[in-house]
Amino acid sequence: MNNTYYENLDQNFTNALNFYETNYSHEQLIDMLKNGNIVQKQISALKLESINSSDDANILLSNLTGQDGKIREAVSLRLSEFMGNDNYIKYFEPSKNTQKFLDAIIDINGNICRNVIQAISNLREDENFCKIFCEKLANLTLELLEVVEKFDFQDGKYKVNKEAFKLYWCLETVYVFWDKMDFTKLKEILQRGSNIGEYTIREKCAKILTHDFKDKDLAKIKEKLKNDSNYYVRRF
């Protein structure tokens, strides 16, 4: 690499550091979240101290998907913090943003998935959100199961990992919203998921089954997974 590359790298680092060390008003941070470059959006999200309106919340959410990974991760982190605060959660209009949240829980970055699941776990008592979101979650999980069931997990293809990764995080979300979901669909998810060749999927099913289900079929599946060949599955 030539000297120009390193000079640009140094300049970019200096610009980012100067930006981070500068104090900006709430309005300026929101404006940069809306119109800024990658560094400005990332640091604006991290420096934001409050959500003061639905417009603020929508601008933050607009950066949760379809942006550079640095931006998405910073936004997801702040989202998990802001949505844990009763003063801010109302501004996020959860029932209108169910698809946004659903897309974010299957991000390619596991940290983002984890942060968003933490954020929406604060919505368990929002009946309208749960009704809309959980139906979409169940349908997406079943769609992914249909794809993943066809894979040979020995072939090492990236597509296998990608789709199984999405299913993994859907099941992690199911663990949070298990009692808000349609039981028939949930039961099908657990029956099919418990037979997937990829152990991380069976592990998530075993984790979901640690909840108190009063169903004989699920009790049999739980017992089967307790005797799974993989330690991480049977530990539940």
Side-chain angles (χ1 to χ4, degrees):
M1 296 183 183
N2 57 38
N3 290 335
T4 301
Y5 171 83
Y6 290 105
E7 289 172 1
N8 290 337
L9 192 65
D10 288 341
Q11 186 59 51
N12 289 340
F13 177 79
T14 300
N15 290 341
L17 184 62
N18 289 337
F19 178 70
Y20 187 79
E21 292 180 342
T22 302
N23 290 323
Y24 293 95
S25 69
H26 177 86
E27 289 73 21
Q28 288 173 314
L29 292 173
I30 290 295
D31 183 64
M32 284 185 283
L33 267 172
K34 187 175 182 181
N35 301 306
N37 58 32
I38 291 174
V39 172
Q40 289 172 332
K41 286 188 172 188
Q42 178 191 21
I43 297 179
S44 292
L46 294 173
K47 289 172 72 73
L48 197 64
E49 295 183 354
S50 65
I51 296 294
N52 298 340
S53 67
S54 294
D55 285 341
D56 288 357
N58 285 330
I59 290 170
L60 187 66
L61 282 174
S62 71
N63 289 287
L64 184 60
T65 58
Q67 299 289 333
D68 180 86
K70 298 183 185 70
I71 298 171
R72 302 196 317 274
E73 186 162 359
V75 168
S76 71
L77 176 63
R78 300 316 311 283
L79 190 68
S80 68
E81 296 170 1
F82 287 134
M83 291 185 67
N85 188 319
D86 290 340
N87 294 324
Y88 303 142
I89 196 169
K90 60 186 177 182
Y91 293 129
F92 287 95
E93 302 176 299
S95 297
K96 294 181 180 179
N97 288 300
T98 53
Q99 190 61 49
K100 176 75 70 174
F101 293 129
L102 190 68
D103 292 340
I105 66 166
I106 54 171
D107 195 282
I108 59 172
N109 182 327
N111 290 331
I112 295 170
C113 304
R114 190 176 295 105
N115 289 338
V116 175
I117 293 170
Q118 175 61 42
I120 64 175
S121 69
N122 296 290
L123 300 171
R124 275 182 45 83
E125 304 310 314
D126 184 331
E127 292 185 9
N128 196 38
F129 168 80
C130 288
K131 180 180 179 181
I132 300 169
F133 178 78
C134 288
E135 181 177 2
K136 291 183 176 182
L137 173 63
N139 291 340
L140 175 60
T141 306
L142 288 167
E143 288 172 12
L144 288 168
L145 274 167
E146 187 169 352
V147 175
V148 173
E149 283 170 331
K150 299 173 183 177
F151 289 149
D152 177 0
F153 284 95
Q154 303 302 315
D155 65 11
K157 293 181 180 178
Y158 174 70
K159 184 179 180 182
V160 173
N161 295 332
K162 182 178 178 182
E163 299 305 318
F165 187 78
K166 291 179 181 179
L167 179 57
Y168 175 96
W169 287 107
C170 279
L171 291 170
E172 184 68 15
T173 312
V174 170
Y175 173 77
V176 175
F177 289 94
W178 67 285
D179 55 341
K180 310 294 181 180
M181 299 180 66
D182 177 84
F183 182 72
T184 300
K185 289 184 177 180
L186 176 58
K187 187 172 179 177
E188 181 182 354
I189 287 168
L190 292 170
Q191 287 172 325
R192 294 168 64 180
S194 66
N195 291 314
I196 294 292
E198 169 57 38
Y199 84 88
T200 59
I201 303 304
R202 302 196 309 279
E203 178 189 6
K204 287 303 170 189
C205 290
K207 183 178 178 180
I208 294 167
L209 286 165
T210 61
H211 290 303
D212 187 21
F213 291 100
K214 305 296 184 183
D215 183 90
K216 291 181 179 180
D217 294 328
L218 293 185
K220 291 179 181 177
I221 295 172
K222 182 176 182 177
E223 188 62 28
K224 180 186 74 171
L225 294 177
K226 280 186 174 294
N227 293 286
D228 195 271
S229 60
N230 186 282
Y231 164 76
Y232 294 100
V233 178
R234 66 176 182 266
R235 66 192 171 116
F236 288 106

